[in-house]
Amino acid sequence: MLQRAHMPEPHRKFLQTMPSVKDYVKNCGNTNVILAYNETIKTLTNFRNQHIILVTRYIIEPKNRLDKRLNQSLETKGTGGSNFMVFLKFSRNETSECEIN
């Protein structure tokens, strides 16, 4: 939902007319569809976890080593100026919450 604020208005309006995939799957009554949906959510959550690991390994850890050498703390911001680790973890958590119980 947070991403919709950054979309062009026609795209936002189009998405507002569509039912959520989660609601559609939840109401379809087909156990196989629900299982496939949940497996997709688990896979996407795993992808987001791997992304966080890569960001840590190739951005955060080198930045921390440089901070030690320079004896100062450099800012770690994403291209939009936000704290990207907070955003990545939020996205991962939001994804995992989409699973149907």
Side-chain angles (χ1 to χ4, degrees):
M1 293 303 228
L2 185 63
Q3 293 175 336
R4 290 186 185 184
H6 302 285
M7 291 181 181
E9 186 176 353
H11 295 188
R12 269 195 317 269
K13 286 183 178 180
F14 171 74
L15 290 175
Q16 288 170 347
T17 67
M18 307 296 291
S20 78
V21 173
K22 181 179 181 177
D23 289 343
Y24 177 82
V25 169
K26 198 187 295 188
N27 295 323
C28 79
N30 185 322
T31 304
N32 289 329
V33 172
I34 293 170
L35 291 172
Y37 170 86
N38 281 338
E39 189 60 35
T40 301
I41 295 300
K42 289 175 187 174
T43 301
L44 184 54
T45 300
N46 185 53
F47 170 81
R48 293 192 187 283
N49 279 327
Q50 294 303 311
H51 187 203
I52 290 169
I53 290 168
L54 289 171
V55 167
T56 300
R57 182 177 297 148
Y58 295 107
I59 296 175
I60 301 296
E61 290 174 359
K63 176 227 174 278
N64 289 343
R65 287 192 299 272
L66 184 61
D67 285 352
K68 283 183 180 179
R69 281 204 328 250
L70 298 176
N71 201 24
Q72 68 182 37
S73 182
L74 302 172
E75 277 194 75
T76 310
K77 299 286 182 191
T79 55
S82 64
N83 182 322
F84 58 85
M85 285 303 280
V86 170
F87 173 75
L88 293 176
K89 289 177 181 179
F90 173 82
S91 296
R92 185 239 359 244
N93 295 343
E94 188 176 57
T95 298
S96 68
E97 291 169 4
C98 288
E99 196 170 334
I100 298 171
N101 297 322

